[in-house]
Amino acid sequence: MEDFAALLSPAAAPHLEELAAQSQKLTRHFFGNTIRLFAPLYLSNECVNVCKYCGFSRHNAIPRITLPAAKVEDETRLLAGRGFRSLLLVAGEHPKYVANGYVADCIRRCLPLTPQIALELGPLETEEYVPLVAVGAEGLVVYQETYHEPTYRELHTAGPKKNYAWRLDTAERGHAAGFRRLGIGALFGLHDWRLEAISLAAHAKHLLKNCWSSYLTVALPRMRPASGHFQIEAKNELADREMVQLMCALRLLLPTAGIVLSTREPANLRDGLCTLGVTHMSAGSSTEPGGYSAFDESQWTPTREQPGEQFHIADERPPQVVAAMLKQKGLDPVWKDHDRALSGPRETPAFETITATADESAARTWMPQSR
Ligand code: SF4
């Protein structure tokens, strides 16, 4: 971790080329030339939380939509037609609209069309995750947003998300429930980027040690313009060059972890980063529930405004253009890298509760008795 902090320091910045070369070498060694492509599919923008930086925040006056499960299936069919076999189902946190039965129904409908389904929802209890894993969800993604507790308190002023520790433990509850893949991240722009990066890396190391049977991915999303017009303080900005430095340093620290790059980033930066350490990329994304249907595929333009989007993406290229770009760089775009047949039937894990003491945050969660 000390070496990682040194690699993030201003003193390491002049050595960026060397750092990038090492990162590229390690990535090719562990992942070959592959880049997995996925699409986020927004189920609902209803949310009970107040997060000052998010377009879905409770007080923002946007049209609120929760897609009926049949409509989710339609959107999945569209995405499958564009090549995707890996989806991230995303929803705001609303116990009335985004309940477990609804999510399970969506997974059931999506799976025949796309065999790899991950979830990005409001955090749940382990017992609530178990049926979602049983029905076929493969991955769980939850970003801490900021690891700096005072900033977290300042930015999350209402709703269950106010509970920092509950969110921090989500990945471990997901692991206990049997998710094959866990995704974590920080939203860069909310606090000092180096402190966020070091905390994120420490969290990743902790999960690699304690949730070793799940595969770990790490994301480095940066703030994008959204409804609510949250202003990033200049001191918290993560510049493009620093973003490269961060991603390459993270690869050196975590050689086997997946690194996710979304369409929040502009095309030119994505084209550069994809050769250096990235393993997973989204493409052709919409961040509004129902947004994929409101698209003219022949022109690749939205057929209407998308006022209910979470944020506006920066790389608006169609997925096939992104795949062609990857090929041109000698990389292999992978649309499908998992099938339920590979993981076989899942057993429901047995649990015991471990009581945490103040400095036992590592054990502050449900742990499986056997795996
Ligand atoms: S960040 Fe998540 S929890 Fe917060 S308002 Fe947006 S959707 Fe809701």
Side-chain angles (χ1 to χ4, degrees):
M1 288 299 295
E2 282 174 18
D3 288 347
F4 177 67
L7 291 175
L8 298 183
S9 69
H15 305 282
L16 190 55
E17 275 189 29
E18 197 183 336
L19 184 60
Q22 288 292 329
S23 171
Q24 187 176 52
K25 194 171 154 191
L26 271 176
T27 308
R28 297 286 81 83
H29 177 77
F30 284 103
F31 297 91
N33 292 331
T34 59
I35 300 278
R36 287 141 182 83
L37 293 172
F38 73 97
L41 199 174
Y42 279 67
L43 308 180
S44 172
N45 59 9
E46 300 276 1
C47 194
V48 293
N49 291 310
V50 175
C51 307
K52 290 187 179 171
Y53 49 84
C54 178
F56 293 173
S57 189
R58 189 168 86 198
H59 299 315
N60 286 346
I62 59 166
R64 301 286 173 171
I65 312 154
T66 300
L67 296 183
K71 180 73 179 161
V72 173
E73 190 177 329
D74 291 346
E75 291 257 300
T76 304
R77 192 164 288 109
L78 270 174
L79 288 168
R82 292 173 194 171
F84 291 105
R85 296 293 181 272
S86 175
L87 298 187
L88 175 65
L89 303 187
V90 186
E93 185 164 1
H94 201 298
K96 183 173 161 198
Y97 296 107
V98 190
N100 252 18
Y102 165 74
V103 177
D105 193 19
C106 292
I107 296 168
R108 258 187 232 104
R109 286 168 179 263
C110 295
L111 271 177
L113 300 160
T114 57
Q116 194 165 18
I117 304 282
L119 306 176
E120 188 175 347
L121 316 167
L124 300 173
E125 295 280 4
T126 303
E127 300 92 324
E128 295 173 297
Y129 282 134
V130 168
L132 300 178
V133 173
V135 85
E138 179 255 356
L140 179 68
V141 173
V142 63
Y143 299 157
Q144 188 63 22
E145 321 292 15
T146 171
Y147 285 88
H148 185 245
E149 278 198 69
T151 304
Y152 188 95
R153 274 198 298 277
E154 191 187 310
L155 295 175
H156 304 100
T157 53
K161 193 166 173 179
K162 280 172 74 177
N163 189 335
Y164 176 97
W166 166 251
R167 191 167 187 86
L168 190 63
D169 289 342
T170 307
E172 281 158 286
R173 292 195 302 276
H175 170 72
F179 280 103
R180 175 181 166 268
R181 195 159 48 100
L182 301 173
I184 60 168
L187 182 54
F188 286 87
L190 301 182
H191 185 59
D192 179 280
W193 73 265
R194 290 187 176 88
L195 291 180
E196 295 289 11
I198 290 167
S199 307
L200 174 63
H203 190 191
K205 295 280 276 184
H206 171 79
L207 293 177
L208 285 172
K209 189 172 172 191
N210 292 282
C211 304
W212 54 269
S213 60
S214 295
Y215 176 63
L216 183 70
T217 58
V218 180
L220 313 168
R222 292 192 292 184
M223 272 298 303
R224 289 284 305 155
S227 176
H229 309 293
F230 179 79
Q231 292 298 319
I232 302 179
E233 290 182 52
K235 67 181 170 58
N236 294 336
E237 270 183 33
L238 174 62
D240 287 357
R241 200 176 157 83
E242 293 167 335
M243 171 91 174
V244 179
Q245 187 179 353
L246 165 58
M247 198 199 69
C248 295
L250 201 62
R251 169 57 68 223
L252 266 62
L253 181 77
L254 310 169
T256 59
I259 296 183
V260 183
L261 187 63
S262 80
T263 52
R264 285 173 180 265
E265 299 302 335
N268 58 350
L269 184 65
R270 286 188 7 125
D271 293 2
L273 285 174
C274 69
T275 62
L276 300 183
V278 172
T279 55
H280 296 64
M281 288 174 81
S282 53
S285 304
S286 166
T287 68
E288 184 187 64
Y292 293 112
S293 311
F295 230 83
D296 177 350
E297 298 221 14
S298 60
Q299 307 287 326
W300 197 252
T301 49
T303 53
R304 59 166 173 76
E305 291 290 301
Q306 304 214 339
E309 64 183 7
Q310 188 181 31
F311 58 87
H312 197 67
I313 63 167
D315 183 353
E316 297 181 320
R317 294 174 294 179
Q320 298 302 339
V321 172
V322 174
M325 175 276 293
L326 293 173
K327 280 187 192 161
Q328 204 194 1
K329 290 180 179 291
L331 298 167
D332 297 329
V334 174
W335 299 92
K336 176 183 176 182
D337 81 334
H338 178 69
D339 193 282
R340 278 199 95 193
L342 297 174
S343 44
R346 290 173 186 276
E347 288 172 20
T348 304
F351 306 105
E352 61 178 347
T353 308
I354 309 266
T355 308
T357 59
D359 46 27
E360 277 180 345
S361 59
R364 195 212 297 134
T365 189
W366 295 83
M367 299 294 284
Q369 287 173 339
S370 62
R371 180 164 290 274

